[in-house]
Amino acid sequence: MDAQARSVLYRIIRRIPNRNIENLLKRWNCLSADQMRALDYTRPKWMIVEHVISFCEESRLGLKHVTNLEMIYRIENPDQGIWNACQLAEAQDDAVCVELTQFKEQFKAHLHGVIRHISIKMKKHEDEAIWIRIAWGDNFSKPNHLKPTYVVHHLHTSYVFISNLMAKHKIFLCQALVIATKHGSIKDGLLSTKSLNAMRDLLLRRYQQVFPNAHSRILQERNTLPSFPCIGKEHRDHEEIRHQMACEAFGHGAMPKLETAVYRLETRYKGNSNYTLSDKEEFFRGVVRFSSSSLLESLRHCVASGMAEGPVTPLLSAITQRGRNYFVITDKGPGVSSQASAQRA
């Protein structure tokens, strides 16, 4: 076992509580029953790692087996680092006919054709997601398995989720995805979070949505005292309306656990006559960031409880409706400028 394999193995095991190491090694299924029984999980991590390494050398296991262990760990613990969403566009007529085997062959063929030294591993998860691990090298250096890129894609959907991708490798990965999925282009989805499950639930609409109905009413008189005899009924009516507006904007039940939403301002000061107050062409720039352990739950509670006025502003409801948590606000309204997108990439 070489130094890189040792480093990858040590990095995996040091992240896991001792009580969970045994279950991970069982799912890996590369150590014999006698070797598994010989491991003492009450000992310090470095001792456990040394014993596992000695068993791997005894069984002639190498980097290929260790990276397989890393993939098992990463699939079961996806909330490692930051995930970014990308969206495929311009689907070809036969895009819906792409099969897993065809996807694998074309994806690997393209990357192996443009990069001499690269390591690609793929696994299909139980939820039909394709997990891809890419260790990047170049024409002169071997793949770096300590900083792999992870890609998750559900076939026949337009979304791809990427973690730990360097800018210099982005064009190669995007080309491979476009070719393998039979699309014309791929763009930044402007959605990033630590939780892969939250990102997938939001974009694939895996949460309980609430749609406007014939009985929905907009709360016209806000923050005013009741002036009718049936004060209790009026309060209940106001609460129902606020709750309806909150659910229409952010859904009902458990929500995807996004942690942040970022709004970048690129505007100019303007007076009452809509003329700019300064002759300078520079934008007034600023950043507004909303943060919470569960941002959508917090926003829904603020609206439903009356802490925030309704109806919900499109700047907030766009998080669920457009599947984004990064916005650029210009003089023309919320959008994404090419300059801002380039800076973010």
Side-chain angles (χ1 to χ4, degrees):
M1 180 174 286
D2 61 19
Q4 195 171 54
R6 286 171 176 263
S7 298
V8 174
L9 182 59
Y10 179 76
R11 186 181 60 178
I12 299 168
I13 295 181
R14 74 178 181 180
R15 294 176 178 176
I16 309 170
N18 285 19
R19 63 181 180 276
N20 297 334
I21 295 176
E22 182 177 8
N23 290 331
L24 179 66
L25 294 178
K26 285 181 179 178
R27 287 189 288 276
W28 188 33
N29 197 31
C30 285
L31 300 182
S32 67
D34 291 338
Q35 290 172 338
M36 291 290 295
R37 284 193 293 269
L39 289 172
D40 184 357
Y41 303 102
T42 63
R43 294 188 175 186
K45 283 284 178 64
W46 68 269
M47 294 185 66
I48 298 175
V49 173
E50 288 301 321
H51 286 155
V52 173
I53 289 175
S54 66
F55 292 151
C56 289
E57 291 175 343
E58 180 183 317
S59 302
R60 297 183 179 181
L61 303 180
L63 183 60
K64 179 179 69 174
H65 301 90
V66 174
T67 54
N68 187 44
L69 175 64
E70 186 194 71
M71 285 199 75
I72 295 172
Y73 168 74
R74 193 66 190 271
I75 291 172
E76 294 182 356
N77 301 271
D79 299 345
Q80 305 286 331
I82 300 296
W83 290 91
N84 295 282
C86 292
Q87 187 171 11
L88 296 161
E90 303 171 26
Q92 300 175 16
D93 294 338
D94 54 348
V96 295
C97 302
V98 174
E99 297 180 349
L100 178 59
T101 302
Q102 181 183 7
F103 174 85
K104 287 182 177 180
E105 291 176 352
Q106 295 193 358
F107 184 86
K108 290 182 177 181
H110 177 78
L111 287 180
H112 283 301
V114 295
I115 301 177
R116 182 177 179 183
H117 297 296
I118 189 171
S119 174
I120 306 170
K121 294 180 72 71
M122 292 190 185
K123 280 184 177 293
K124 186 177 181 181
H125 192 42
E126 296 173 354
D127 63 356
E128 301 300 315
I130 303 171
W131 281 73
I132 308 171
R133 181 189 188 273
I134 306 173
W136 301 91
D138 54 36
N139 292 333
F140 306 100
S141 59
K142 293 183 178 180
N144 183 2
H145 287 276
L146 295 176
K147 296 181 179 180
T149 295
Y150 272 90
V151 181
V152 178
H153 175 56
H154 293 255
L155 279 180
H156 309 139
T157 71
S158 60
Y159 297 106
V160 181
F161 311 104
I162 304 172
S163 177
N164 194 32
L165 177 64
M166 296 180 65
K168 65 180 181 179
H169 298 139
K170 185 174 182 179
I171 186 172
F172 303 124
L173 177 60
C174 290
Q175 287 174 347
L177 288 168
V178 165
I179 292 171
T181 59
K182 295 187 179 298
H183 282 72
S185 63
I186 186 171
K187 61 182 180 180
D188 188 352
L190 300 176
L191 176 65
S192 61
T193 179
K194 291 181 179 180
S195 176
L196 174 64
N197 290 332
M199 182 176 289
R200 288 192 292 189
D201 291 346
L202 182 62
L203 292 177
L204 300 180
R205 304 293 181 180
R206 292 178 175 176
Y207 63 94
Q208 189 174 352
Q209 301 177 70
V210 175
F211 300 96
N213 55 55
H215 304 290
S216 298
R217 294 174 295 172
I218 302 298
L219 185 59
Q220 299 292 344
E221 297 294 333
R222 298 185 293 266
N223 303 323
T224 58
L225 294 175
S227 58
F228 299 98
C230 301
I231 296 177
K233 182 179 183 304
E234 186 174 358
H235 280 178
R236 286 193 298 272
D237 290 344
H238 281 236
E239 290 176 2
E240 290 176 2
I241 295 171
R242 289 197 301 265
H243 180 74
Q244 176 71 18
M245 287 189 297
C247 291
E248 288 177 5
F250 303 110
H252 181 67
M255 293 297 301
K257 290 191 176 181
L258 292 182
E259 296 181 348
T260 61
V262 177
Y263 296 83
R264 184 175 297 277
L265 310 179
E266 293 186 356
T267 59
R268 293 183 175 91
Y269 289 109
K270 291 189 175 182
N272 295 332
S273 58
N274 206 30
Y275 290 105
T276 57
L277 301 182
S278 174
D279 295 332
K280 296 182 179 180
E281 291 297 325
E282 291 84 1
F283 285 109
F284 166 74
R285 291 182 171 89
V287 176
V288 178
R289 179 186 297 270
F290 292 89
S291 299
S292 173
S293 58
S294 183
L295 180 63
L296 297 178
E297 293 274 8
S298 301
L299 293 174
R300 183 173 61 184
H301 175 73
C302 287
V303 176
S305 63
M307 296 171 60
E309 294 185 352
V312 180
T313 170
L315 289 174
L316 296 179
S317 61
I319 298 174
T320 53
Q321 293 174 4
R322 301 176 66 182
R324 295 179 179 178
N325 65 349
Y326 181 87
F327 301 88
V328 178
I329 303 173
T330 66
D331 288 336
K332 296 180 181 179
V336 181
S337 66
S338 59
Q339 180 182 3
S341 299
Q343 291 174 351
R344 189 170 184 266

